[in-house]
Amino acid sequence: MHISAELRQLFARANRVLVLTGAGVSAESGVPTFRGGGNTAVWKGMPFDVISSAEMVERDLPAVWEWFDYRRDFLAELTPNPAHYEIARWQDSFVEFTLVTQNIDGLHQKAGSREVIELHGNIWRARCTTCSTAYSMVEEQRPEACLECGDLLRPDVVLFGEMLPPGAFELAAARARACELCFVVGTSALVYPAAGLPEIAKGAGAYVVEVNPERTPLSSLCDEVLTGKAGEMLPLFQR
Ligand code: BJW
Ligand code: ZN
């Protein structure tokens, strides 16, 4: 795959870089993507946008937990891939580096990334449906009910129709406005407001690069499209 001289130079000289990732960055670790490839995620006959929705939390919270418990068991066996590790290396190479992810799998952190802006929450946390107290499920089991108020717990992830964590998008948008170089890696760029970040970066003058084996609605906005897998493309960058 050809990386332009302009992009190589920009990568070598840039001070402020932002990377937005989606499910595709974890695909080479074995995490199924949501869309594309024809294997859309389905749980007991329900498409993921039905089971992963605010309505389903209201209607059948135990079913939502079953689906997320199943996915945590599956994810526990998986490890980061070269794309996660490369992105983790970048954080110490630039004056200001921002990693924004839509992923809830925690693989960026496992690869060593710090201060990850998680737009859609984290599958390894539960939170109280009433008082929002959060509980880690990395090492420990979640309590039956909230230890503060006794109410029900739910996965600490952002489902369709729900608000993003307070401040997360605002911080990501500020970094997008300030960056010189923006990478959009492994996202179908269909889900908003996340998909709006590269548009913000572009509007503020950044050079926007997409890394994806397939074209997306963002491709035409990008200054450069690197058609290929994240784990193969990102290690081609040298600084
Ligand atoms: C590779 C690869 C390799 C493969 N290397 N690449 C404007 C218009 C219309 C609707 C809306 C709008 N603004 C907001 C909305 C509503 C909605 C939305 O955007 N809907 C659209 C579908 C139209 N947004 C929301 O509801 C958001 N909330 C919100 O806006 O709050 C305010 C509000 C409230 C009420 C009403 C209106 C507004 C919240 C969105 C939360 C998304 N949640 C999910 C589920 C999380 C929990 C779970 O996991 O179950 O998050 S949905 C799912 O999609 C998940 C992902 O983070 C998200 C994005 O998917 P992603 O990462 O792009 O993955 P894929 O699978 O789509 O794509 C993978 C890509 O990788 C592909 O392109 C492949 O080619 C590529 N790939 N292998 C590189 N090796
Ligand atoms: Zn509580």
Side-chain angles (χ1 to χ4, degrees), residues 13-232:
R13 293 191 192 141
N15 288 323
R16 291 180 304 278
V17 173
L18 179 137
V19 177
L20 170 68
T21 64
V25 83
S26 295
E28 290 158 84
S29 294
V31 182
T33 59
F34 295 93
R35 305 169 187 83
N39 51 352
T40 311
V42 170
W43 175 245
K44 298 193 172 170
M46 284 178 276
F48 79 91
D49 51 346
V50 173
I51 181 84
S52 285
S53 69
E55 285 101 307
M56 196 55 78
V57 169
E58 294 285 318
R59 202 164 76 215
D60 195 349
L61 187 52
V64 174
W65 268 122
E66 223 186 303
W67 155 239
F68 279 92
D69 289 345
Y70 161 81
R71 288 165 67 194
R72 274 200 329 284
D73 281 351
F74 179 81
L75 283 171
E77 308 299 321
L78 305 184
T79 51
N81 67 62
H84 295 111
Y85 287 115
E86 194 61 29
I87 292 169
R89 258 197 295 282
W90 290 3
Q91 70 195 340
D92 298 318
S93 304
F94 301 95
V95 173
E96 186 172 277
F97 179 80
T98 306
L99 173 57
V100 185
T101 189
Q102 301 170 79
N103 299 346
I104 62 174
D105 56 29
L107 287 173
H108 281 303
Q109 290 88 339
K110 243 189 188 175
S113 283
R114 306 178 301 266
E115 296 175 41
V116 185
I117 302 178
E118 295 182 314
L119 294 178
H120 295 162
N122 192 300
I123 196 167
W124 297 100
R125 274 194 320 263
R127 82 164 188 267
C128 176
T129 50
T130 300
C131 73
S132 295
T133 300
Y135 298 89
S136 171
M137 295 180 283
V138 177
E139 307 271 307
E140 45 282 85
Q141 292 230 314
R142 65 174 176 275
E144 277 295 315
C146 178
L147 301 175
E148 301 295 326
C149 77
D151 227 326
L152 295 172
L153 301 183
R154 55 160 288 171
D156 193 9
V157 300
V158 182
L159 305 171
F160 276 114
E162 295 186 326
M163 302 302 286
L164 273 56
F169 183 76
E170 292 72 11
L171 177 59
R175 296 292 178 81
R177 265 190 297 277
C179 75
E180 300 147 70
L181 180 56
C182 170
F183 285 88
V184 188
V185 185
T187 176
S188 60
L190 292 169
V191 174
Y192 278 82
L197 291 169
E199 296 166 7
I200 292 173
K202 178 72 185 167
Y207 194 87
V208 182
V209 182
E210 178 170 67
V211 181
N212 199 311
E214 297 185 20
R215 288 188 70 82
T216 76
L218 276 182
S219 303
S220 56
L221 166 131
C222 291
D223 294 285
E224 199 150 333
V225 176
L226 303 178
T227 306
K229 294 182 174 179
E232 292 168 9

